[in-house]
Amino acid sequence: MTKNWAGNITFSAEVRSPRTMAEMQELVRLSDHVRVLGSGHSFNRIADTTGTLISVAALPRIASLDRTDDTVTIAAGLRYGEVTAYLQDEGRALHNLGSLPHISVAGACSTGTHGSGDTNRPLAAAVTSTTFIAADGELVTLTRDDPDFLGSIISLGALGVTVELELETQPTYEISQVVYDGLPVARLGTDFEEIFSSAYSVSAFTDWVDPDVMVWRKMLADTPYEPTWLGARLADGARHPIKAMPADFATQQGGLAGPWNERLPHFRLEFTPSNGEELQSEYFVPRAAAPQAFEELKALGQLMAPVIQISEIRTIAADNLWLSPSQGRDTVALHFTWIQDETAVRPVVAALEEALLPLGARPHWGKVFAADAATLRVCYPKVPDFIALAAKYDPDGKFRNDYLNTCLPA
C-alpha cells in the first residue's frame, strides 16, 4: 500500500495515475468518491479515501510562459523544483518558495504552504487562475475576476481535481544566504522586528530549550551583512536546520550569491532532505502576538524536549485567500518537526494548542493538529463561506472524506 512521505500514513486505496486529461475526467466522472494525492508531504489524512485516490503526476508535464503578461501555465503535478528551473532559464522567477523544492505546486497551494519573508505572501498568492475537474467530470476554470476565486486556491481538494495553474512571475533575482549561530533566545521577542526584517526571507531555528537560536538570512544579492549581529556570530561552516544533521543536502550558504530558486529553499532538489521519519505541526499567530507566543513556547520547552527535533519561526505577509493561514493579517509561522511517534506527540500538540489558540493561532491544514470543527471555524473566519463554495461545485460530496467531514462538516 502507498504511504505518505513521512511514513506515518498508509493510504486506504491504491493510487490511480491517468496519463491523459480525457482519462482523468472519465475516472472522476465514474467514481463515487475521489481524493487527490500530490507529493505526499502532508502529515494527516487530508488526502486519504476509501474510494478513488488519484495522482495528476502522469498527466502531460506542461510549463508555458506567456510573455504578454508574464504568467506561467503549468501542469498541477509538477514539482516546484521543476517549475523554478524552467522559469530561471527563461529569466523569470516566483516571489517566494517553501523549504522543499520537492513538493508539487498544486498540493502546496491547496494546503497553504507559505515560504518566508515580511513582505512575502504565501505561495498560493501567486496563482492567477486555476483549472480543476469538477464532480461531473467537466473542466472548470476560475480567474481572479471570478467571485469564487479567493475560495478556490487553498481548497483542500474539496472542489475537484486541480489539473492546471497559472502563476504570476517577476524578473529573476539572486539571493545570498548567511547563517548565524548563537542568537540569544530572548532576542526573538525583544528584537523581533529587527530580526525578521533583516533579509528578504528569514528563518529562526530553536528547540525552545537551548538558549542559542540559529538564524538563516536569505538576502537579495549584494546586501551587506555583519560578522556579529544581535549577539550572534556568522556560522563557521554549512548548517542543517537540525544541528546534529550533516549539511550536505542544504542549499548554498556562506554569503555566495546565486539564483533565487537555488537559495530560497532550505534543501537542494537533487537530494532527499531526510529519511522522512518525522511528524510536523505548524501554527500561525498574528504578528503582534509573536513575542507572547515565544514566551508560551519557552515555558513548554521541557514538555516538548522528548519529542521535538527542531522548531522554525518565519513571517508571512497578509493575503485574502479564504483558507490561508495569513488571511487578513500579517502572520508569524511556528513550525515543529517531531519524532515519528504520534502517541507521544499528540499530548504535546494539545498543550501547544491550549497555549497558542487563545493568541489567535491557526493550525496548518496539512499537518498534525487537534483542533475540532468548531475551533477551526473560529480560527478561520471564512470557513462557512468555503463550505458553501464546496457544496456549489460538489453538491453530492464526491470529494469529501473523513478529514473534511471532521474538520469542515457540511
Side-chain angles (χ1 to χ4, degrees):
M1 299 293 283
T2 303
K3 290 182 177 287
N4 66 339
W5 173 78
N8 69 304
I9 299 292
T10 300
F11 294 104
S12 304
E14 290 296 333
V15 181
R16 304 280 297 276
S17 301
R19 295 185 176 275
T20 70
M21 191 70 71
E23 291 174 4
M24 182 77 74
Q25 291 177 263
E26 185 72 355
L27 180 59
V28 171
R29 186 181 69 82
L30 295 177
S31 298
D32 292 329
H33 295 285
V34 176
R35 292 297 287 173
V36 183
L37 180 64
S39 55
H41 279 78
S42 290
F43 295 81
N44 58 35
R45 293 196 172 274
I46 187 171
D48 198 24
T49 181
T50 56
T52 304
L53 185 59
I54 290 176
S55 168
V56 298
L59 291 177
R61 304 180 75 74
I62 299 166
S64 176
L65 186 65
D66 186 341
R67 293 287 184 178
T68 62
D69 62 0
D70 292 322
T71 59
V72 62
T73 299
I74 64 166
L78 289 177
R79 298 180 299 164
Y80 265 100
E82 297 169 295
V83 173
T84 59
Y86 166 77
L87 289 175
Q88 175 63 15
D89 287 344
E90 296 290 333
R92 302 301 295 178
L94 300 176
H95 75 289
N96 205 8
L97 292 173
S99 299
L100 300 176
H102 311 75
I103 57 179
S104 71
V105 178
C109 289
S110 70
T111 54
T113 298
H114 52 86
S116 182
D118 277 6
T119 62
N120 294 326
R121 296 177 299 161
L123 305 187
V127 178
T128 58
S129 78
T130 179
T131 298
F132 57 90
I133 301 172
D136 59 2
E138 296 300 310
L139 291 172
V140 175
T141 297
L142 300 176
T143 70
R144 285 179 173 175
D145 295 329
D146 194 291
D148 293 339
F149 178 82
L150 294 179
S152 69
I153 307 305
I154 301 179
S155 66
L156 315 183
L159 306 187
V161 179
T162 302
V163 292
E164 188 174 277
L165 293 169
E166 183 184 83
L167 310 175
E168 61 188 6
T169 71
Q170 62 187 56
T172 187
Y173 53 98
E174 289 199 332
I175 293 287
S176 59
Q177 179 173 213
V178 292
V179 176
Y180 285 85
D181 291 331
L183 181 84
V185 69
R187 293 265 197 173
L188 289 175
T190 60
D191 298 87
F192 173 79
E193 296 295 338
E194 183 172 352
I195 292 168
F196 288 93
S197 66
S198 68
Y200 187 83
S201 172
V202 176
S203 292
F205 296 95
T206 177
D207 62 6
W208 300 107
V209 174
D210 191 329
D212 293 336
V213 176
M214 179 171 56
V215 181
W216 293 24
R217 295 168 63 188
K218 300 170 189 278
M219 306 176 294
L220 293 174
D222 300 322
T223 302
Y225 56 91
E226 312 86 340
T228 59
W229 171 70
L230 297 179
R233 63 195 178 280
L234 279 174
D236 59 5
R239 297 287 187 266
H240 187 284
I242 301 172
K243 292 181 181 179
M245 296 284 287
D248 303 23
F249 300 163
T251 47
Q252 177 70 52
Q253 301 164 17
L256 181 65
W260 60 284
N261 60 313
E262 296 178 6
R263 297 294 185 274
L264 287 177
H266 292 339
F267 298 101
R268 304 172 192 258
L269 178 63
E270 61 267 30
F271 296 111
T272 301
S274 74
N275 60 14
E277 292 183 356
E278 62 192 52
L279 299 176
Q280 293 181 12
S281 299
E282 191 164 24
Y283 296 91
F284 304 84
V285 299
R287 189 180 177 99
Q292 186 177 350
F294 299 156
E295 292 303 312
E296 297 286 350
L297 293 174
K298 284 188 285 186
L300 291 170
Q302 293 300 330
L303 177 67
M304 290 189 282
V307 296
I308 195 170
Q309 297 191 56
I310 198 63
S311 176
E312 181 179 8
I313 307 161
R314 289 171 285 181
T315 56
I316 316 161
D319 67 276
N320 56 359
L321 302 176
W322 288 1
L323 294 189
S324 171
S326 50
Q327 186 270 328
R329 68 193 196 191
D330 291 336
T331 295
V332 176
L334 305 170
H335 183 277
F336 304 87
T337 298
W338 313 112
I339 63 172
Q340 196 192 69
D341 183 343
E342 192 157 352
T343 300
V345 167
R346 281 288 179 183
V348 177
V349 168
L352 277 181
E353 294 192 3
E354 185 177 357
L356 296 178
L357 290 179
L359 303 181
R362 295 169 176 168
H364 190 298
W365 295 107
K367 302 187 188 294
V368 177
F369 63 88
D372 60 14
T375 302
L376 290 170
R377 279 179 176 255
V378 174
C379 296
Y380 288 90
K382 300 294 286 186
V383 158
D385 297 311
F386 179 77
I387 291 172
L389 181 67
K392 173 181 175 180
Y393 288 98
D394 183 23
D396 297 323
K398 177 174 287 192
F399 299 108
R400 285 197 153 268
N401 64 353
D402 288 345
Y403 170 95
L404 289 175
N405 289 337
T406 299
C407 296
L408 304 175

